Amino acid sequence: MSTPRDRRPRDPRRPGATGRSGSRPARRPQRASNRPEGAPAARGGAGRAPREARGGAARETRRPPRRRPASPPPPPPLLRRTFRRGDPAKRIRIGGALVLAVLLLFAGRLVQIQGVEAEGYAAAASDLRLRSIDIPTLRGAITDAEGNPFAMSVEVRTVFVDPEEIQEDQRQEVVDELSARFGLDAEEVAEKVDAEPSRYQVVAHDVPPEDWQSLRELGLRGVGAQVDYKRVYPEETGAADLVGFVGSEGYGLEGLEGYLDETLAGEAGAHQVEVGLDGTQIPMAGGLAKEPVPGQDVRLTLDQDIQWYMSQVLAERVEELDAEGGSAIAMRPDTGEILGMADFPSYSPNDIDASSAEQRSNGAVAETFEPGSTNKVITIGAALEEGLTTPETVYTVPYSIEYYDQVFRNSSNDGTQRLTVNGIMAQSSNVGTIKIADQVGAGVLHGYMADFGLGGPTGLDLPGEATGVLTDPDDWWGTQLPSVSIGHSVSVNAVQMASVYATVANGGVRVEPNVIAGTVDADGAFTRADPPERRRVLSEGTAADLALMLEAVTSDEGTAPQARIDGYRVAGKTGTANRINPETGTYEDGGYTATFAGFAPADDPQVVVQVVLHNPQEIYYGGEAAGPVFNDIMSFVLKTLKVPPTETDPPAIRLQESGSTP
């Protein structure tokens, strides 16, 4: 049976007075007191005292219960700010004003976009989905003087497929037909036929129009073609080094193709298409934005037959003598027009990948060399023009001469001779020329060489052209004058030296070499190029004297009888010069350069031919190595131009005469 609950009121501040079940009892048990034996037992002992005794003395001796320290009073409650509701009408007015401001901002922007700047935004939006596609144009041709092509463009097709248009039942037929016709891998074609998302996949380039027409007749849906142009070069023209070629993108890279690219290329047209989100191109009606403008044809001064023949003869001689290379120039002395410009080694512009940079270089202007004895015409011409000597003046010419610390010798030891200026030229005497150069002087000789075009641009403006080296006379040291006078310590290219002999052949007037006759537009109208620069270098009398001396060179007493041509009077000059060894920087083991330059007929010059052979083996003298090439080329050119044979005989000139030393 449970103990009855204590119903007395409890102090809520006392611990344990919670009134909950299991709380501490209200009254604590008291410890037993030390009473004498026989005294009444304490509460909780073995026996219980009478009620009276419990209510009497026992109550008086009971100690009051100990109280625990009082707990601190609780903190006062926090004061809260009283919220008073404002006027709702005011809040509505402020909110409405803000909403109105935002709406006005959007409205203003809308007016700006759709009203004030509508066209600009429409154009910008259009640009995002419109694309401009180039329409290829016809590149101008490069032709000879008669219109025969050295380079031309032919119309071809670029075949493509539209995967969305190809019908499923024709898919395999399309793959098989395209791969078989164009020699393509069937799997690669299938990938293009199944390409997604796409409506334009190129299958083949440079397809002849007739081949496309044959494919078109099959009626395969989704197979189309675009007009394009391919650059082609007729084989065996021999003009690759001059003409150059275009790259895969259709731009000229080398030669005249590169130099005249803006003239030849024309202007591509433009067609606008709309591009979808998946990249699909959608042709637009009236989308032609710009008509293509075809390039202009460039007409050269070359003769294709002469060019071809020169290249063949030169190549044969270079290979025969195992030379490193060679160049040949044919030009008209009165106009400066180049009829042929051959170079070897060469290449095929239809197979660029099979060629090297050296083969593609136009050696006629890019390769420089020491002219050797062909330079003597300038030294002697300067002396004649300055009145320092005459063709009949006699010089004592020993086999060798010491000049400062160097000994100069003639090519053959004929002992000491008494040679006229005519004889010095005819026999190509080094010692005799040096004696004449001493009279001329460094400054005057340098001036004439510059007037003849040495040390400066040829005027052709061809890519890779090298101007050669002509040192300022103030920098000439002890043996420079004699060296330069006989064609050493100076370098030229083949066109420069050909121009020197053209100046003599043209009565002393130098006409700047030129290879471009003019341009032809799409309507066939020819526009002639600017006339070349003309400058008098020698008087007519001096030029005539030099022509007779040069004619003596091809006589039996001269150094180049191999250059004579039956029926024609021929004037010319041999040249044999040492080459610098690139490994040592000296002439030792550097080889030789063999040259011959001349014109015909000598009494009425029509053509100048210059031949250069670089480092021929065994036969390296100019007359023996280059003379036969000159003869062969000059004979062909005279026949091609229908130049009549010479009806006069050369006058007799004295090469040797006894007399006093000047």
Side-chain angles (χ1 to χ4, degrees):
M1 183 173 178
S2 60
T3 305
R5 295 179 182 270
D6 190 355
R7 302 294 184 178
R8 290 177 296 176
R10 300 176 184 269
D11 186 351
R13 291 175 296 176
R14 291 181 59 188
T18 59
R20 292 178 299 176
S21 174
S23 60
R24 182 177 303 208
R27 301 175 69 178
R28 297 181 60 171
Q30 296 187 5
R31 291 179 295 181
S33 60
N34 296 326
R35 297 177 183 266
E37 218 178 286
R43 183 182 176 96
R48 295 178 61 95
R51 184 176 299 268
E52 293 84 3
R54 286 183 302 186
R59 183 176 299 176
E60 293 176 0
T61 59
R62 187 178 56 192
R63 295 180 182 178
R66 294 193 311 181
R67 296 183 179 179
R68 292 186 180 184
S71 299
L78 296 177
L79 297 178
R80 294 184 180 181
R81 181 176 299 173
T82 304
F83 177 77
R84 297 181 179 180
R85 294 185 178 182
D87 185 2
K90 183 178 180 180
R91 292 199 302 274
I92 293 174
R93 287 195 297 270
I94 293 175
L98 292 175
V99 172
L100 180 61
V102 172
L103 292 176
L104 289 175
L105 180 63
F106 279 106
R109 183 61 174 161
L110 188 61
V111 171
Q112 179 188 14
I113 293 175
Q114 295 188 345
V116 179
E117 300 178 0
E119 295 183 1
Y121 280 97
S126 178
D127 290 341
L128 292 176
R129 66 178 190 277
L130 294 181
R131 295 290 184 272
S132 181
I133 299 177
D134 287 342
I135 301 175
T137 187
L138 182 65
R139 185 178 179 87
I142 300 177
T143 72
D144 75 348
E146 300 299 324
N148 300 307
F150 288 115
M152 60 184 180
S153 294
V154 296
E155 186 175 306
V156 293
R157 297 292 186 272
T158 298
V159 177
F160 65 90
V161 294
D162 181 350
E164 291 193 11
E165 289 292 325
I166 296 177
Q167 296 180 345
E168 184 60 31
D169 58 350
Q170 287 188 329
R171 177 192 175 282
Q172 192 59 46
E173 182 182 1
V174 170
V175 172
D176 294 342
E177 193 66 39
L178 294 178
S179 58
R181 282 180 177 266
F182 303 125
L184 303 174
D185 182 75
E187 293 184 1
E188 293 181 0
V189 175
E191 289 180 2
K192 295 181 178 182
V193 169
D194 296 335
E196 291 182 1
S198 176
R199 301 202 62 177
Y200 182 80
Q201 292 289 319
V202 175
V203 175
H205 293 279
D206 301 333
V207 177
E210 57 272 18
D211 290 353
W212 158 244
Q213 184 61 32
S214 174
L215 176 62
R216 184 181 182 182
E217 291 175 354
L218 298 178
L220 300 175
R221 288 191 58 179
V223 179
Q226 291 177 320
V227 175
D228 205 345
Y229 298 95
K230 177 185 177 181
R231 199 66 166 173
V232 296
Y233 303 89
E235 294 287 349
E236 302 299 335
T237 63
D241 292 0
L242 173 63
V243 172
F245 58 90
V246 299
S248 58
E249 298 297 325
Y251 300 106
L253 297 182
E254 291 191 19
L256 293 175
E257 289 275 33
Y259 174 60
L260 301 173
D261 188 60
E262 291 186 5
T263 301
L264 294 166
E267 297 181 13
H271 188 87
Q272 285 190 328
V273 297
E274 188 169 356
V275 180
L277 294 177
D278 59 357
T280 302
Q281 296 180 357
I282 306 171
M284 300 171 55
L288 183 63
K290 180 182 178 183
E291 286 280 359
V293 178
Q296 298 184 65
D297 293 347
V298 174
R299 184 181 298 176
L300 306 181
T301 60
L302 301 183
D303 182 288
Q304 193 174 77
D305 292 338
I306 293 175
Q307 178 68 33
W308 175 84
Y309 189 83
M310 288 176 61
S311 65
Q312 297 299 310
V313 172
L314 179 67
E316 291 175 4
R317 190 59 170 171
V318 168
E319 293 179 345
E320 180 183 355
L321 299 181
D322 194 23
E324 292 182 5
S327 299
I329 306 294
M331 64 186 299
R332 291 186 179 274
D334 56 336
T335 64
E337 295 175 345
I338 293 179
L339 302 174
M341 180 183 291
D343 188 59
F344 189 86
S346 188
Y347 68 102
S348 171
N350 292 313
D351 189 11
I352 301 301
D353 294 337
S355 63
S356 64
E358 181 182 2
Q359 292 173 323
R360 297 193 296 269
S361 173
N362 185 4
V365 294
E367 184 81 13
T368 60
F369 56 92
E370 293 189 351
S373 294
T374 54
N375 195 62
K376 292 174 181 176
V377 70
I378 300 179
T379 303
I380 296 175
L384 295 174
E385 187 70 15
E386 293 296 316
L388 302 174
T389 191
T390 69
E392 299 292 330
T393 303
V394 179
Y395 291 79
T396 298
V397 182
Y399 165 62
S400 64
I401 184 175
E402 186 173 353
Y403 209 102
Y404 287 90
D405 60 345
Q406 188 171 343
V407 177
F408 294 88
R409 299 178 176 85
N410 291 326
S411 59
S412 61
N413 190 354
D414 297 323
T416 299
Q417 299 175 287
R418 297 276 291 171
L419 298 177
T420 64
V421 175
N422 293 328
I424 291 173
M425 179 75 82
Q427 296 185 13
S428 193
S429 171
N430 291 332
V431 175
T433 305
I434 290 172
K435 285 194 168 187
I436 295 174
D438 270 339
Q439 294 178 268
V440 176
V444 174
L445 179 58
H446 179 277
Y448 275 93
M449 294 175 73
D451 289 344
F452 270 103
L454 273 59
T458 62
L460 296 176
D461 295 328
L462 294 177
E465 178 179 312
T467 60
V469 176
L470 179 60
T471 310
D472 189 280
D474 293 338
D475 297 327
W476 290 9
W477 40 274
T479 60
Q480 196 86 346
L481 174 60
S483 294
V484 171
S485 69
I486 60 176
H488 291 280
S489 299
V490 61
S491 64
V492 299
N493 62 44
V495 174
Q496 287 174 329
M497 192 50 62
S499 178
V500 170
Y501 283 80
T503 300
V504 175
N506 195 42
V509 177
R510 181 181 186 272
V511 182
E512 192 173 62
N514 57 93
V515 72
I516 300 174
T519 58
V520 181
D521 63 20
D523 297 327
F526 176 70
T527 302
R528 187 172 298 278
D530 295 336
E533 179 184 340
R534 304 172 68 90
R535 179 176 71 248
R536 178 165 290 281
V537 179
L538 301 173
S539 64
E540 290 187 17
T542 298
D545 290 339
L546 289 174
L548 289 175
M549 295 179 190
L550 294 173
E551 192 170 2
V553 172
T554 63
S555 67
D556 291 336
E557 293 79 18
T559 58
Q562 304 93 332
R564 287 204 303 264
I565 300 173
D566 292 340
Y568 295 90
R569 292 170 58 180
V570 178
K573 184 71 187 73
T574 58
T576 307
N578 296 95
R579 288 167 54 90
I580 297 293
N581 187 336
E583 296 182 359
T584 64
T586 66
Y587 289 127
E588 186 176 358
D589 297 329
Y592 298 90
T593 299
T595 60
F596 192 96
F599 49 86
D603 58 331
D604 183 21
Q606 299 295 310
V607 181
V608 172
V609 172
Q610 161 84 35
V611 177
V612 182
L613 299 177
H614 299 292
N615 199 24
Q617 303 300 307
E618 297 183 4
I619 301 175
Y620 54 83
Y621 284 108
E624 298 175 1
V629 183
F630 168 88
N631 183 301
D632 205 350
I633 292 175
M634 179 63 82
S635 298
F636 184 84
V637 174
L638 292 173
K639 292 178 182 179
T640 302
L641 299 181
K642 298 181 172 58
V643 177
T646 304
E647 297 180 355
T648 61
D649 295 325
I653 59 176
R654 290 178 292 182
L655 304 182
Q656 298 185 32
E657 184 177 325
S658 60
S660 59
T661 303

